Amino acid sequence: MALSGLTIDYTRTQRELDRLAEFSSVSAPAVGRVMLSDADMAARDYLKSLFADAGLRVHTDPAGNVFARWIGAEPSLPAVVTGSHTDAIPYSGKYDGTVGVLGGLEAIRSLQRCNFQPRRSLELLMFTSEEPTRYGVGCLGSRLLSGSLEPSRADALLDESADAFSELRQRRGFSGSLSDVRLAEGHYHAFVELHTEQGPLLERDGLPIGIVTAIAAPAAIRVTYTGEGGHAGAVLMPDRRDALLPAAELALEVDRAARGSGSLDTVATMGLLQVHPGAVNGIPSRTYMEIDVRDVQLGRRDQVLSHIEELAMRIGARRNVEASVERINADPPAQCDPQIAATIEAACHDAGLQYQRMISRAYHDSLFMALLCPIGMIFIPCRGGVSHRPDEYSSPEAIGAGVEVLARTLAQLAEIAP
């Protein structure tokens, strides 16, 4: 699509990213912005002021998802939407998620500047709590939007301070029933998310754009082993029921299960291990761990997951400790819409940018938006493939390239007739 005079003010977007990073619970260069914390609420106010300055109609739902709409010529048509998240795990960086929100805003502003008039409305969506930091559930906002999480279960979630989501959100001004958050299938015409790759492939290959074809399916389980504590010097080895030993054995089996799946797309991680009582001279009486398994193929992912669950119980029995296994979530993978991918490809050609097709091994809110409408994702390179660290970085030029491709994609999708 010809967009005469399209320009991307990537220096402005960088300034806004820098300003957003100042809303943080930790000192720079790290960023910490846990959902509905004071830092998060201040950041929301800043972002909503930017949305309003761009002439967008802003509203928030009971879960805290923020919507900013540019009304199209035919507002009754399902809108084209873009966006991401701005909550951040403690001691992370300034680009994860935020590029998709502020980049989405600049994509809309760039279309406004060149006097483009969208047929369909364009909407910018800032999801609440993509990160699982506070309540242990990732993509909380998009799960509720898509209906993949029961409202009653979401309201009952407790953080480490036993603060329920139902009470926290209402204290922060997000009143109303979570049942009203869910959107009907077809509410949106299409969703396109701009994001840093969070991996090294684009940088390694010297390419500015990745067109995502599929998003890996995440699953997570909790495993608890309960043995018998005691003094490290007084309990003889034949009499021990050490709860750490099965956990250590299971960690090795998790790694072995993923490597043995037959595909590089299978990954598994024991990312959390807690040992009680946690003393050098005390035999561990209880261990708690969380295990993450991902793949783009659901059947293969679930086969590996079931194998790990079976091993967890078998190892506990052999080590003479009590074992329990609980599934936290097991989400389906998402396929990006081929037509949207082709539209992104055409946008790359119009912008004179090279690209490659790729899968996303990290999951995003797009995974759950796929339950509502066709989706697409645009990746831009990040230095060293680093993410969730203070040194994560994408250059202003890389962000500008992604925003241009996003703007051209949104413009094309907004013109599609009913």
Side-chain angles (χ1 to χ4, degrees), residues 379-400:
F379 275 173
I380 61 171
C382 52
R383 185 172 60 196
V386 167
S387 185
H388 283 196
R389 284 176 16 190
D391 57 334
E392 72 178 14
Y393 177 76
S394 285
S395 71
E397 294 78 11
I399 294 169

Side-chain angles (χ1 to χ4, degrees), residues 28-108:
V31 176
R33 198 163 43 241
V34 174
M35 61 97 68
L36 302 191
S37 62
D38 289 345
D40 183 37
M41 296 305 297
R44 287 166 174 268
D45 289 342
Y46 168 66
L47 290 162
K48 286 190 283 188
S49 72
L50 295 181
F51 302 160
D53 289 345
L56 307 182
R57 189 184 69 186
V58 181
H59 78 278
T60 306
D61 70 14
N65 295 307
V66 180
F67 307 80
R69 179 167 290 211
W70 180 16
I71 305 297
E74 298 184 41
S76 62
L77 295 178
V80 175
V81 62
T82 189
S84 195
H85 68 99
T86 58
D87 66 309
I89 66 172
Y91 301 99
S92 63
K94 68 172 72 170
Y95 297 93
D96 174 33
T98 57
V99 165
V101 175
L102 288 169
L105 175 62
E106 177 56 21
I108 290 173

Side-chain angles (χ1 to χ4, degrees), residues 200-273:
L201 301 183
L202 291 174
E203 183 186 55
R204 185 192 67 189
D205 296 339
L207 294 171
I209 299 293
I211 301 175
V212 178
T213 58
I215 304 172
I221 61 173
R222 297 185 180 102
V223 179
T224 303
Y225 289 122
T226 305
E228 186 173 344
H231 194 287
V235 181
L236 300 179
M237 301 306 289
D239 300 325
R240 294 194 178 197
R241 297 176 59 231
D242 187 329
L244 179 56
L245 298 179
E249 187 174 344
L250 182 61
L252 295 173
E253 292 294 345
V254 167
D255 180 80
R256 188 175 290 115
R259 293 177 185 274
S261 76
S263 172
L264 287 174
D265 291 332
T266 311
V267 293
T269 308
M270 182 186 287
L272 176 65
L273 174 60

Side-chain angles (χ1 to χ4, degrees), residues 155-195:
D155 260 340
L157 291 170
L158 299 176
D159 65 13
E160 290 184 352
S161 302
D163 199 354
F165 181 50
S166 60
E167 298 173 359
L168 175 62
R169 66 181 180 84
Q170 296 199 52
R171 287 201 310 272
R172 290 305 197 180
F174 305 124
S175 58
S177 173
L178 288 186
S179 299
D180 297 331
V181 173
R182 183 174 184 177
L183 300 177
E185 186 175 354
H187 177 83
Y188 289 125
H189 176 67
F191 175 76
V192 184
E193 184 172 6
L194 173 66
H195 209 284

Side-chain angles (χ1 to χ4, degrees), residues 18 27 47 105 135 153 162 171 190 217 233 250 269 280 290-291 304 323 329 336 338 341 357 360 373 376 378 401:
D18 292 341
S27 299
L47 290 162
L105 175 62
Y135 288 109
R153 183 186 167 200
R171 287 201 310 272
L250 182 61
T269 308
V280 68
E290 293 186 0
I291 298 165
V304 172
N329 63 272
C336 293
R357 294 191 173 224
S360 173
C373 65
I378 300 166

Side-chain angles (χ1 to χ4, degrees), residues 82-162:
T82 189
S84 195
H85 68 99
T86 58
D87 66 309
I89 66 172
Y91 301 99
S92 63
K94 68 172 72 170
Y95 297 93
D96 174 33
T98 57
V99 165
V101 175
L102 288 169
L105 175 62
E106 177 56 21
I108 290 173
R109 291 187 303 217
S110 72
L111 294 173
Q112 291 173 336
R113 286 195 298 269
C114 70
N115 297 315
F116 174 76
Q117 297 295 322
R119 181 178 193 174
R120 296 176 182 271
S121 297
L122 291 176
E123 186 152 277
L124 178 60
L125 204 171
M126 189 183 85
F127 299 97
T128 199
S129 192
E130 192 264 1
E131 305 292 0
T133 312
R134 184 154 206 159
Y135 288 109
V137 178
C139 299
L140 180 58
S142 54
R143 286 179 190 271
L144 288 165
L145 285 169
S146 65
S148 63
L149 177 63
E150 286 295 324
S152 58
R153 183 186 167 200
D155 260 340
L157 291 170
L158 299 176
D159 65 13
E160 290 184 352
S161 302

